[in-house]
Amino acid sequence: MHYPTAPDNPPSVHHPIYRLPPTMDLPDNTSTTSSSSSSRSTVSDVAESLSSVALLHPNNEQKTMTGFPPEIILQIYRHLNSASDITALNSTSRRYNSIWRINAASISAAVLSRSIDCYNSAFELFEIEERVKQIYCIILPQSAVLKRLRLAQKQAQDVVRQGRRNDRCDHTSSGILYRGVLYRNEELLSAARCASYLSRLIEDRVVYTGGTSLDELDREITPSSHHIIVAFHELMILIRLRLLEAMQARLKNMRKEKIRKMLYVATYLVRDCPDKKKIRLGISREKIRRSSMIDDMDLAFRPRCYVTVHARRAFFAIADALGEARIPNYLLDNRSGCHGDCEDFGKIEGITTTTTITPQLGLDWTGLDWTGLDWTGLG
């Protein structure tokens, strides 16, 4: 059988066989108005046809937020503004709550980094605090403790710098990882609340009952709210380190300007902040009441609260780094660091105390003057 072969010179594109068929002409009585109305009717017909086709599609349910893909829902979570928004969105559906539990680490990091002022310093405080807890869980010589404290600070700074999460896992499918994320969020929010509370106290110029104004403090430096929060976080890091040598080593690597802002915050906390506010900020603690007669008399002239030993060491380290004598002099004169405006505070008139404080060991009770106290009747 003979098959036809292709011609050597095929026809060009302008050949009649490639021409389109003639178009259909409209009737002669068709006007411009009827043409426009016809086009509108054609559009409506197309819309009706598309809607009829859509009704035949198997996924014809109405799209709502619960029907979004998990990737879209995850992005919605990450763009929320606060932790309360996360809680509100979790309560909308079980599907949303399940997506939150699986991606709690990444969602928390994205939301808290925007909602918490000075998030990096608060995050570093949390990382150092958790590592320091592990160091002090075992008994080690002081040299080994100092070495581990330096390593803990370096690791915490690396975590903050690289933006990694503490659990190093994007998915928190297990209950242990999920509870760890919740614990971290609670600690970060607690530190942020304390720092913001202190910033408001300083901005509102709140002092203890009978205290002087903050004019003397303001003449030296007036840091912004951002700097006050960062300085408070750094102060709390020093308190968590506990050892004076570790505090001094950290201060040596800081700029003088940053230490001066820490001194500003420390001076307010020691000299001007009300006792109740110190307790709320974690600088002071309340004394435990006892029922024996001697303890009742002891509490009668001792203040109901006291500045913690680790806070005292941090205050001394900051003052020593700048050669400032106000904080040490004040703590030498006020052995408890409290003003006496806390609840149920009382003291016996005529009792004077003269004491010396060693920064490394805390309070030295030698040299107390007990004159004026009547010991008769104690048996």
Side-chain angles (χ1 to χ4, degrees), residues 340-365:
D341 61 341
C342 54
E343 186 178 0
D344 298 330
F345 174 83
K347 64 179 180 179
I348 297 178
E349 297 295 333
I351 298 180
T352 59
T353 60
T354 58
T355 179
T356 58
I357 300 178
T358 304
Q360 292 84 350
L361 301 178
L363 185 63
D364 183 10
W365 294 99

Side-chain angles (χ1 to χ4, degrees), residues 101-372:
R101 288 181 64 94
I102 296 176
N103 302 276
S106 59
I107 294 173
S108 300
V111 175
L112 295 183
S113 61
R114 294 193 307 270
S115 60
I116 293 180
D117 293 335
C118 310
Y119 174 78
N120 288 341
S121 60
F123 193 23
E124 183 179 0
L125 170 61
F126 169 77
E127 291 289 338
I128 291 179
E129 184 176 5
E130 294 304 309
R131 286 171 168 78
V132 167
K133 288 180 182 178
Q134 300 175 6
I135 294 174
Y136 286 108
C137 285
I138 56 179
I139 300 177
L140 294 172
Q142 185 171 349
S143 59
V145 173
L146 291 174
K147 183 178 180 180
R148 295 197 177 193
L149 288 176
R150 288 193 296 268
L151 180 60
Q153 296 177 67
K154 185 179 182 304
Q155 291 175 348
Q157 292 173 358
D158 293 339
V159 169
V160 175
R161 187 181 301 109
Q162 298 176 10
R164 293 182 292 139
R165 289 165 294 278
N166 190 31
D167 48 28
R168 301 182 185 182
C169 181
D170 290 335
H171 298 283
T172 54
S173 55
S174 65
I176 297 178
L177 293 177
Y178 179 69
R179 287 191 296 270
V181 172
L182 295 183
Y183 170 74
R184 183 187 64 191
N185 294 347
E186 182 180 356
E187 292 296 319
L188 289 175
L189 291 173
S190 177
R193 285 192 294 266
C194 289
S196 300
Y197 182 66
L198 174 63
S199 177
R200 291 195 302 269
L201 289 177
I202 296 178
E203 290 177 356
D204 297 340
R205 310 177 70 82
V206 178
V207 297
Y208 69 95
T209 304
T212 59
S213 63
L214 300 179
D215 294 338
E216 182 183 353
L217 197 63
D218 292 342
R219 280 199 300 266
E220 300 177 358
I221 184 175
T222 306
S224 62
S225 175
H226 173 84
H227 293 150
I228 292 175
I229 293 175
V230 173
F232 178 74
H233 288 160
E234 288 291 342
L235 175 61
M236 297 306 296
I237 289 177
L238 294 182
I239 295 175
R240 297 297 185 265
L241 294 178
R242 303 186 186 182
L243 294 180
L244 181 63
E245 292 80 358
M247 300 176 187
Q248 293 173 343
R250 183 176 180 85
L251 290 171
K252 287 181 180 179
N253 298 325
M254 289 186 183
R255 300 189 305 270
K256 292 293 183 181
E257 181 182 358
K258 190 173 184 179
I259 301 177
R260 289 187 182 279
K261 295 171 183 176
M262 295 174 62
L263 178 65
Y264 179 92
V265 173
T267 304
Y268 172 78
L269 289 173
V270 172
R271 195 183 62 180
D272 303 307
C273 184
D275 292 340
K276 291 182 181 180
K277 313 301 182 183
K278 293 181 183 179
I279 296 174
R280 178 174 177 179
L281 293 171
I283 303 299
S284 297
R285 293 181 181 176
E286 291 183 296
K287 288 184 178 293
I288 301 176
R289 296 178 180 270
R290 299 180 178 88
S291 58
S292 63
M293 180 175 58
I294 296 180
D295 290 332
D296 287 342
M297 290 191 64
D298 180 68
L299 288 177
F301 64 89
R302 291 187 183 179
R304 302 296 186 184
C305 64
Y306 63 96
V307 176
T308 61
V309 175
H310 302 150
R312 283 175 169 271
R313 292 177 183 174
F315 295 150
F316 273 108
I318 295 173
D320 183 65
L322 294 175
E324 176 62 44
R326 285 181 304 170
I327 293 180
N329 291 341
Y330 182 84
L331 291 177
L332 288 173
D333 296 334
N334 186 358
R335 59 186 174 87
S336 66
C338 293
H339 306 294
D341 61 341
C342 54
E343 186 178 0
D344 298 330
F345 174 83
K347 64 179 180 179
I348 297 178
E349 297 295 333
I351 298 180
T352 59
T353 60
T354 58
T355 179
T356 58
I357 300 178
T358 304
Q360 292 84 350
L361 301 178
L363 185 63
D364 183 10
W365 294 99
T366 59
L368 290 179
D369 185 6
W370 300 99
T371 58

Side-chain angles (χ1 to χ4, degrees), residues 64-99:
T64 60
M65 287 188 64
T66 56
F68 286 169
E71 295 80 5
I72 302 299
I73 298 177
L74 182 59
Q75 292 301 321
I76 294 175
Y77 266 108
R78 290 176 177 175
H79 285 80
L80 296 178
N81 296 322
S82 63
S84 58
D85 294 342
I86 296 178
T87 304
L89 191 56
N90 290 341
S91 60
T92 57
S93 67
R94 293 182 178 178
R95 184 166 181 258
Y96 274 46
N97 192 19
S98 176
I99 294 175

